[in-house]
Amino acid sequence: MEIDRIDGRTRNQLRPLACSRNVLNRAHGSASWSQGDTKVLAAVYGPKAGTKKNENPEKACIEVIWKAKTGQSAILKNFLMDLGKLEKEYEMILKRTLQSICILTVNPNTTTTIIVQVVHDDGALLPCAINAACAAFVDAGIPLKHLAGNKTYGCLQFIPLFKECFLTNALVCAVAICCGLVESGYVILDPTKLEEQKMKAFTYLVFPNSVLSVLPEGSLQEEGEPVEHGIITSVTQGAMGVDDYFHCLERGRATCEKMSAFLRRSLQPQTPK
Amino acid sequence: MVSQLQAQDGVEGIGYPNSSGDLSSEMEVDAFRRLFPLRFFERHLSESIRPDGRPLGRARDTTLALGAVASANGSALVKIGLTTMLAAIKMEVMTPLKESPDEGCIAVEFHMPPICSPLVRPGRPAEVAPVVSKQFSGMIDLKDLSLVSGKAAWMAYLDIYCLDADGSLFDAALLSAVAAFSHLQIPVVSMNDEGRVIVVSEENDGGGDAVNKEKRKLRLCRTPISLTCILHKNYILADPTAEEESIMETLVTVVLDSSDQLVSLYKPGGPALAHTSSVQDCIALTRQRVKEVQTIFDETISGMEVD
């Protein structure tokens, strides 16, 4: 049971996390996020005036540009399911996820662009990218849901003027995790690329960040479950039993609590001005 | 079909446009539907009915026609309500990849021509296609598509055309693809003297022996069936129409196969969060749907055999 993974981790152990924000000078917000050898860099530009065609002008629009690491010798098993398609799908999932955590009515008729650059892919790429994107959004001061319970962030819409102020009050958004199901039926977290290839099935899950509330009633409840247990995004690959999925869900939630604590710590304002 | 609620509103609205009372009772139903779509739907949902007369958990009528395209090796036309999908498979002989000498290939292409909807959004086609093709990754053993190891294998081009996009596109696309695969007849091929694989036409028996006399049908390892649900407040709406999808934006697609394995649980964001209970409800609805679709399948196939 103890050491059954190639890199010596236990099943529930994540790879070392690292997050730094404000890494790019010209971007309005940027962050890099790495889980072991998987590393993603995200930059946010905007909000700029106007939305793209076919988007609702009454809401803010989010544009996601996914940049794969070039020169990758990834010959997929099915070679026609080319990388371009996969990127498009990731772009779409990332966009929908970000749309659901951003408060879109704050800046109507604007477009915010986020560029996600894959630096290295060693498994669990999409969760890593989602975490990087969230960190970059926080860095840019874009108002997000599922933030700290301090209800004053309504007055902080005039970003990025209030950027630092915003950061102190309201922290973070969503956390993503990859759970893999190995042939023998147990769940491992945060698999590497090698483990991903051997796996029977895996699922990417995104949960809201756990809410720090100053309200007397404690954490917010919805349908008898805390908000941070609700799934924002779920993507699975490969067949698994229904029970296995719920098992993954449970593990994912437990881990996300820890990850959001990490995110909270690493996104504290670095230099008070 | 017009629900009770709507009919009442209509009579009131058109007949007596008096100025007193709620705004909704003095307006024509169609106008109310356009101006306050969410309120319109919520009023229906609170009565456990949908504007098209369905209960919340019921999928629309589904029909299946196999062999809709004569020139293809396998094809199917699927209608779920008004959503129409046409899937066709064309088989071609190719040289297999060096990495996998005894495996064939499946290329899935999902098309949304402008005929299908007034708002063919450029982002939309790309979003369904890779997801559909991913569902096939375990459905067919690619080794079954091999002809001569290292020399020849089948390349299956699966093209899915959306003719009418009225919601739940993924469900219809997947169903049409599964149906097309079950209808697929692999052409007989033989090896000629130069060692090249040629398709044997029915009239002239091109010489040499057929390589694949027995393997005319593809064996499906599993039959994935999907159901898309909308999550809105406490309601779960199965098999939404395009109108419902545009108003209530949280979609969850569950794919189960015939042996009750979860092939995919797909929720790309959306304003509502999926809690354990709602995920369980969605899976339960999908189980029901799998049974429904299987009976439709069986009926269609037995109908084909009679002909």
Side-chain angles (χ1 to χ4, degrees):
Chain A
M1 152 84 209
E2 277 315 306
I3 296 168
D4 36 21
R5 294 169 75 169
I6 303 159
D7 51 6
R9 282 187 286 158
T10 58
R11 289 171 201 171
N12 282 336
Q13 202 175 353
L14 304 179
R15 290 172 286 175
L17 300 173
C19 170
S20 47
R21 59 179 188 86
N22 210 0
V23 287
L24 300 174
N25 176 27
R26 297 298 305 276
H28 297 141
S30 61
S32 82
W33 181 279
S34 62
Q35 292 172 220
D37 286 336
T38 306
K39 187 174 182 186
V40 175
L41 194 63
V44 175
Y45 289 93
K48 291 170 283 193
T51 55
K52 288 208 297 186
K53 214 177 167 187
N54 288 331
E55 297 280 353
N56 184 358
E58 288 177 16
K59 286 186 175 177
C61 161
I62 294 169
E63 184 187 32
V64 177
I65 299 168
W66 184 282
K67 291 277 179 192
K69 186 186 167 191
T70 49
Q72 227 167 11
S73 62
I75 299 162
L76 293 173
K77 208 170 162 193
N78 184 348
F79 75 100
L80 271 157
M81 164 109 186
D82 50 347
L83 282 167
K85 264 190 192 172
L86 201 69
E87 280 160 28
K88 276 272 172 313
E89 193 195 349
Y90 281 173
E91 259 178 28
M92 200 273 298
I93 294 168
L94 195 55
K95 183 180 164 185
R96 296 274 193 90
T97 305
L98 291 172
Q99 271 176 339
S100 58
I101 59 170
C102 287
I103 302 166
L104 296 173
T105 42
V106 171
N107 299 310
N109 202 18
T110 59
T111 302
T112 306
T113 308
I114 178 154
I115 297 129
V116 175
Q117 173 69 55
V118 180
V119 181
H120 189 71
D121 175 15
D122 186 27
L125 181 62
L126 188 62
C128 193
I130 291 173
N131 288 331
C134 286
F137 264 62
V138 173
D139 188 45
I142 311 274
L144 302 172
K145 290 181 206 165
H146 312 301
L147 301 166
N150 191 332
K151 292 283 175 193
T152 56
Y153 62 80
C155 66
L156 299 171
Q157 296 159 3
F158 309 103
I159 45 162
L161 258 175
F162 291 92
K163 188 166 154 182
E164 291 304 324
C165 173
F166 176 78
L167 281 170
T168 52
N169 281 324
L171 285 172
V172 193
C173 40
V175 269
I177 185 72
C178 178
C179 303
L181 195 69
V182 191
E183 211 64 65
S184 47
Y186 56 84
V187 177
I188 58 171
L189 293 174
D190 193 20
T192 61
K193 189 131 206 155
L194 206 66
E195 286 172 318
E196 243 176 34
Q197 281 160 358
K198 284 184 193 160
M199 244 155 7
K200 193 173 120 193
F202 57 88
T203 169
Y204 298 136
L205 296 165
V206 183
F207 297 100
N209 193 34
S210 50
V211 182
L212 274 188
S213 183
V214 292
L215 298 173
E217 59 263 44
S219 66
L220 298 160
Q221 298 266 321
E222 204 176 287
E223 286 174 40
E225 277 187 279
V227 168
E228 62 260 36
H229 281 187
I231 310 163
I232 297 179
T233 298
S234 158
V235 180
T236 67
Q237 188 163 354
M240 61 178 111
V242 174
D243 295 336
D244 292 329
Y245 180 76
F246 284 107
H247 192 188
C248 284
L249 219 58
E250 221 170 87
R251 289 289 182 83
R253 277 176 189 147
T255 318
C256 277
E257 254 162 56
K258 289 193 195 109
M259 283 180 82
S260 58
F262 167 77
L263 204 54
R264 217 179 277 280
R265 268 202 314 279
S266 53
L267 291 174
Q268 295 291 344
Q270 289 151 337
T271 46
K273 281 169 191 169
Chain B
M1 207 188 291
V2 180
S3 72
Q4 205 72 44
L5 183 77
Q6 195 181 342
Q8 275 169 8
D9 274 358
V11 170
E12 252 178 70
I14 298 162
Y16 317 98
N18 54 15
S19 55
S20 66
D22 188 13
L23 188 66
S24 60
S25 63
E26 64 184 70
M27 209 189 282
E28 275 180 48
V29 176
D30 275 348
F32 185 66
R33 188 176 190 157
R34 272 168 192 272
L35 289 172
F36 308 104
L38 195 59
R39 268 179 64 194
F40 175 81
F41 269 92
E42 278 175 354
R43 254 182 91 169
H44 279 83
L45 295 181
S46 62
E47 308 271 335
S48 297
I49 192 131
R50 289 154 76 171
D52 55 5
R54 279 187 285 162
L56 303 194
R58 176 152 346 135
R60 291 168 288 174
D61 289 341
T62 307
T63 56
L64 196 63
L66 297 180
V69 183
S71 61
N73 299 112
S75 61
L77 182 77
V78 165
K79 281 191 86 136
I80 299 178
L82 292 173
T83 303
T84 313
M85 288 283 171
L86 181 67
I89 303 169
K90 200 108 181 153
M91 302 292 276
E92 254 174 42
V93 179
M94 62 146 195
T95 318
L97 293 174
K98 280 209 177 77
E99 296 81 40
S100 48
D102 46 6
E103 283 185 4
C105 220
I106 299 170
V108 184
E109 205 71 56
F110 181 76
H111 306 271
M112 274 187 82
I115 193 175
C116 70
S117 155
L119 40 119
V120 176
R121 284 175 281 179
R124 197 63 191 256
E127 102 188 28
V128 184
V131 187
V132 177
S133 33
K134 225 162 65 174
Q135 305 309 328
F136 286 100
S137 51
M139 187 172 120
I140 285 158
D141 192 359
L142 293 175
K143 292 201 166 79
D144 285 352
L145 291 170
S146 173
L147 285 166
V148 184
S149 177
K151 288 222 174 109
W154 285 116
M155 172 94 201
Y157 290 99
L158 168 63
D159 286 275
I160 305 169
Y161 288 88
C162 178
L163 302 180
D164 194 345
D166 191 24
S168 309
L169 298 184
F170 179 77
D171 299 354
L174 187 63
L175 184 57
S176 70
V178 170
F181 267 113
S182 67
H183 174 251
L184 178 66
Q185 286 274 336
I186 299 177
V188 182
V189 290
S190 67
M191 185 99 82
N192 68 5
D193 301 336
E194 294 145 43
R196 293 177 71 179
V197 175
I198 49 161
V199 177
V200 181
S201 55
E202 276 170 24
E203 309 90 66
N204 63 320
D205 215 9
D209 282 331
V211 188
N212 62 337
K213 269 221 170 94
E214 270 93 68
K215 291 199 272 180
R216 296 291 309 281
K217 273 275 179 197
L218 259 191
R219 193 172 47 84
L220 297 180
C221 304
R222 54 170 119 107
T223 347
I225 307 280
S226 72
L227 181 70
T228 301
C229 294
I230 283 186
L231 299 184
H232 181 71
K233 294 189 175 159
N234 292 323
Y235 307 111
I236 297 176
L237 286 76
D239 187 27
T241 62
E243 190 190 5
E244 287 164 339
E245 276 181 6
S246 68
I247 295 162
M248 296 164 279
E249 287 169 333
T250 314
L251 294 169
V252 179
T253 303
V254 182
V255 187
L256 290 174
D257 71 1
S258 27
S259 54
D260 203 37
Q261 288 272 300
L262 185 74
V263 182
S264 157
L265 197 142
Y266 187 67
K267 177 180 186 288
L273 299 172
H275 290 278
T276 313
S277 58
S278 37
V279 172
Q280 274 164 340
D281 291 347
C282 287
I283 292 176
L285 282 170
T286 312
R287 280 201 186 114
Q288 251 176 47
R289 176 72 179 156
V290 170
K291 280 189 199 125
E292 253 174 63
V293 172
Q294 258 160 1
T295 33
I296 295 168
F297 243 103
D298 294 344
E299 276 167 19
T300 316
I301 288 168
S302 62
M304 291 280 290
E305 278 160 4
V306 171
D307 300 339

